[in-house]
Amino acid sequence: MYRIESKINPRSPEFKDNREYYLSKLGEFRERLDKVKLGGSEYARKRHKARDKYLVRERLELLFDRNTPFLEFSTFAGYGLYDNAAPCAGVVTGIGIVHGKEVLVVANDATVKGGTYFPMTVKKHCRAQEIALQNKLPCVYLVDSGGIFLPLQDGTFADKEHFGRIFYNQAVLSAEGIPQISIVLGSCTAGGAYVPAMSDETVIVKGHGTIFIGGPPLVKAATGVDVTPEELGGADVHTRISGVSDHYALNEKHGIELTRNILENLNTPAKFELDVAPPEEPFYDPGEIYGIVPGDLKKPFDMKEIIARMVDGSKFHEFKQNYGTTIITGFARIMGYPVGIVANNGVIFSESSKKAAHFVSLCAVRKIPIVFLQNITGFIVGKQYEHGGIASDGAKMVHAVATAQVPKFTVIIGGSHGAGNYAMCGRGYFPRQMWMWPTSKISVMGGEQAADVLTQVKVEQLKEDGKKLSKKEIEKIRKPILDKYEEEGSAYYASARLWDDGIIDPVDTRNVLAMGISASLNNPIEDHKFGVFRM
């Protein structure tokens, strides 16, 4: 493969302006990230530690092999929601390494409302289980939860995607041969009791872990009997009497050691084999990405310059280089793994649609994972393009992306708007993982475009009523629309609602993708199967 020839000048004023803007946004991102990772209030954390319990991230450090990476999902889940009372939605999820094996973890943070489940907590938990199913990853549940957050029960209990779906998923995962392991580190009440009860193996910690369908207050109200949590459902009860738990831990550290032992003894199948080469660092400095992406996403930039700072050796074998140039397609390696890359360099035309469909089908046939790099306003519009069959050609691309059986990974680098989001493997097209950069945007269309369209509709309506507006009055209509799209299109707004799997620092993209590809190989890549393409 040939090395991409970069045309970027790091000494140019434009590069310096872009870099200064991006670093300011990156500082804001890191500040927000550090804050949500703290979990609950300082008082709640001190109270938790006073009970001789580890904080959720300390537990994960003990669980994972030393000096191994942790791929965390949905860190900004719940951000700005519930009066900011649920940082990280009260649960930490991600992929870590235990005895050399990749495992999916779901760890309750008891410093956030006692580890109870908000609507976004349920969604985040279920998304983690979906990742486990897609990638055949053993699940480890670090349980320390009071169950549903009762003030928001209508958003957590009765529907098919609510709390009960967690236990349904456990049954399905176990039936698929995907191990379900729980360690009960604290409260495990009501419906939450089914997480350990439905696990293949369960560890419970003496003096801290409790499992019961109805807690002491409910027992007292229903039967008039006074009973302590330990007498009702502690470690002795469930390892010696009920058999609900399998392993008795003397303390948290011992419990985590027992959990590591369980994972060590799993009979994990071999991974699907790709033609993996020794990893090679990019020839160009990934940190230069900060100076390439403009602060104003309406300004174009060459996606090949991003690829050059992401792939091994900055080497890229481009496919159909001279055809449909608003989409870039080609083969490269990321940390030694072969990948196909589909990246936007402008609006999608018929030619670029057909080119992308052709390339995606090549990757599907050859069983090569695909990386989609989004910066897209959508498909071209206009009379000549409709007459030329843009709808049919766009459908070819959408069809190929939807049905390709290979692992797919999506990164929103700039904008993600309209049907371009779908064609470039947006959330609704089930990429194994989807990530956003801090300054990226996602909405049905760009804010200014939406403001212009909606303002024009309003102006025309008033015109029919005989009212003519001044420029100032028109701007008064336009500005709230623009502000609304600016807020709702931000990466933080999207990530809070789990429209992605997290916001990442651009220079981490290479490692994030490599970890995702590695995890995906725990599930064999299926043979390609397409439906009918309109020709």
Side-chain angles (χ1 to χ4, degrees):
M1 289 190 282
Y2 295 103
R3 181 179 295 138
I4 294 172
E5 184 180 347
S6 177
K7 297 179 174 60
I8 292 297
N9 178 8
R11 292 181 294 278
S12 70
E14 182 182 13
F15 183 94
K16 290 177 180 177
D17 288 346
N18 289 344
R19 180 178 172 80
E20 184 179 346
Y21 174 81
Y22 214 107
L23 289 178
S24 71
K25 291 298 181 182
L26 201 61
E28 180 183 278
F29 162 70
R30 288 170 177 162
E31 184 179 334
R32 293 179 178 187
L33 185 65
D34 289 344
K35 186 174 181 180
V36 297
K37 279 187 171 183
L38 286 174
S41 66
E42 184 178 358
Y43 170 77
R45 296 195 302 273
K46 283 183 177 179
R47 187 180 176 193
H48 185 85
K49 295 285 284 185
R51 294 170 175 165
D52 198 27
K53 298 174 75 173
Y54 289 106
L55 297 173
V56 63
R57 294 178 187 278
E58 294 173 337
R59 290 167 173 171
L60 292 176
E61 284 181 17
L62 291 171
L63 177 67
F64 298 143
D65 296 351
R66 292 186 66 183
N67 301 318
T68 57
F70 174 49
L71 182 59
E72 185 171 348
F73 298 122
S74 309
T75 316
F76 283 98
Y79 186 80
L81 303 175
Y82 320 121
D83 296 322
N84 278 317
C88 296
V91 63
V92 178
T93 65
I95 298 173
I97 310 296
V98 181
H99 287 295
K101 302 179 178 76
E102 288 151 334
V103 299
L104 189 290
V105 296
V106 178
N108 298 122
D109 186 348
T111 71
V112 179
K113 300 292 183 182
T116 52
Y117 277 67
F118 291 73
M120 281 300 155
T121 319
V122 176
K123 189 173 182 180
K124 182 172 177 177
H125 190 135
C126 288
R127 170 58 184 154
Q129 291 176 311
E130 181 183 27
I131 291 168
L133 182 61
Q134 290 173 331
N135 300 286
K136 303 291 184 186
L137 297 175
C139 295
V140 182
Y141 304 98
L142 284 75
V143 187
D144 195 347
S145 169
I148 286 173
F149 182 63
L150 295 179
L152 297 178
Q153 67 86 25
D154 66 328
T156 55
F157 174 68
D159 208 351
K160 64 180 181 180
E161 301 290 346
H162 284 175
F163 198 53
R165 185 60 176 262
I166 291 169
F167 321 129
Y168 172 89
N169 289 342
Q170 281 187 258
V172 170
L173 287 160
S174 185
E176 288 290 325
I178 300 171
Q180 304 293 292
I181 312 299
S182 285
I183 170 170
V184 182
L185 298 151
S187 178
C188 193
T189 307
Y194 288 105
V195 172
M198 296 196 67
S199 292
D200 302 349
E201 289 189 61
T202 295
V203 178
I204 188 169
V205 178
K206 173 189 175 184
H208 289 163
T210 55
I211 305 171
F212 31 64
I213 302 300
L218 184 60
V219 171
K220 173 69 174 177
T223 67
V225 176
D226 288 309
V227 62
T228 68
E230 195 70 17
E231 291 169 336
L232 185 61
D236 276 291
V237 169
H238 288 308
T239 57
R240 302 178 192 277
I241 302 172
S242 75
V244 169
S245 190
D246 311 298
H247 305 277
Y248 183 99
L250 300 174
N251 51 50
E252 284 201 15
K253 195 169 184 180
H254 181 219
I256 292 170
E257 287 173 358
L258 288 172
T259 306
R260 283 180 54 83
N261 291 345
I262 293 169
L263 294 166
E264 184 180 15
N265 291 302
L266 296 179
N267 185 20
T268 306
K271 289 189 174 188
F272 183 85
E273 288 191 13
L274 292 178
D275 177 28
V276 181
E280 185 180 354
E281 290 298 312
F283 178 78
Y284 302 104
D285 179 7
E288 291 179 345
I289 289 173
Y290 302 139
I292 295 171
V293 180
D296 182 357
L297 294 180
K298 295 192 298 297
K299 293 181 178 179
F301 61 93
D302 188 356
M303 195 69 83
K304 259 190 264 192
E305 298 287 359
I306 303 295
I307 296 169
R309 289 154 180 83
M310 190 180 295
V311 302
D312 289 13
S314 303
K315 296 170 186 174
F316 186 58
H317 176 61
E318 193 165 356
F319 176 75
K320 285 186 182 289
Q321 181 177 1
N322 299 321
Y323 181 78
T325 55
T326 58
I327 277 187
I328 298 170
T329 55
F331 297 99
R333 290 184 183 272
I334 293 178
M335 297 291 282
Y337 294 109
V339 295
I341 295 177
V342 181
N344 299 122
N345 245 14
V347 69
I348 304 176
F349 289 85
S350 283
E351 294 85 356
S352 38
S353 299
K354 290 185 285 188
K355 169 181 171 177
H358 185 172
F359 181 74
V360 167
S361 67
L362 283 181
C363 293
V365 170
R366 297 174 186 176
K367 299 190 175 182
I368 296 174
I370 307 173
V371 173
F372 295 85
L373 303 177
Q374 287 198 18
N375 181 32
I376 183 63
T377 56
F379 286 87
I380 192 68
V381 297
K383 181 179 177 180
Q384 73 178 94
Y385 304 110
E386 297 295 352
H387 289 192
I390 183 62
S392 177
D393 291 331
K396 293 179 181 66
M397 180 179 176
V398 171
H399 187 117
V401 169
T403 56
Q405 299 299 306
V406 294
K408 292 167 281 192
F409 302 87
T410 301
V411 184
I412 301 179
I413 287 172
S416 177
H417 304 296
N421 169 279
Y422 305 150
M424 289 293 294
C425 201
R427 191 63 147 178
Y429 285 71
F430 299 97
R432 294 292 177 94
Q433 293 165 22
M434 177 170 157
W435 304 93
M436 297 184 76
W437 285 3
T439 61
S440 58
K441 301 285 185 183
I442 183 168
S443 54
V444 68
M445 61 178 67
E448 291 199 8
Q449 191 179 6
D452 289 343
V453 169
L454 293 172
T455 301
Q456 183 63 31
V457 170
K458 185 66 175 177
V459 168
E460 291 296 329
Q461 287 174 343
L462 292 171
K463 191 176 179 181
E464 288 178 5
D465 295 336
K467 297 178 182 177
K468 188 176 180 180
L469 301 180
S470 66
K471 286 185 178 180
K472 188 175 181 179
E473 289 172 322
I474 291 172
E475 185 58 29
K476 192 174 180 180
I477 296 171
R478 187 176 182 275
K479 190 177 184 305
I481 300 169
L482 193 60
D483 291 344
K484 177 180 173 67
Y485 269 75
E486 184 67 21
E487 177 192 353
E488 295 181 359
S490 79
Y492 298 101
Y493 191 94
S495 215
R497 291 156 179 79
L498 270 78
W499 296 349
D500 57 39
D501 290 309
I503 305 171
I504 56 173
D505 185 329
V507 299
D508 292 334
T509 306
R510 171 178 160 81
N511 291 334
V512 165
L513 290 172
M515 291 179 69
I517 294 166
S518 176
S520 75
L521 300 180
N522 288 286
N523 193 1
I525 297 177
E526 298 178 19
D527 294 337
H528 71 286
K529 183 174 67 175
F530 296 108
V532 176
F533 285 87
R534 291 187 63 87
M535 306 305 286

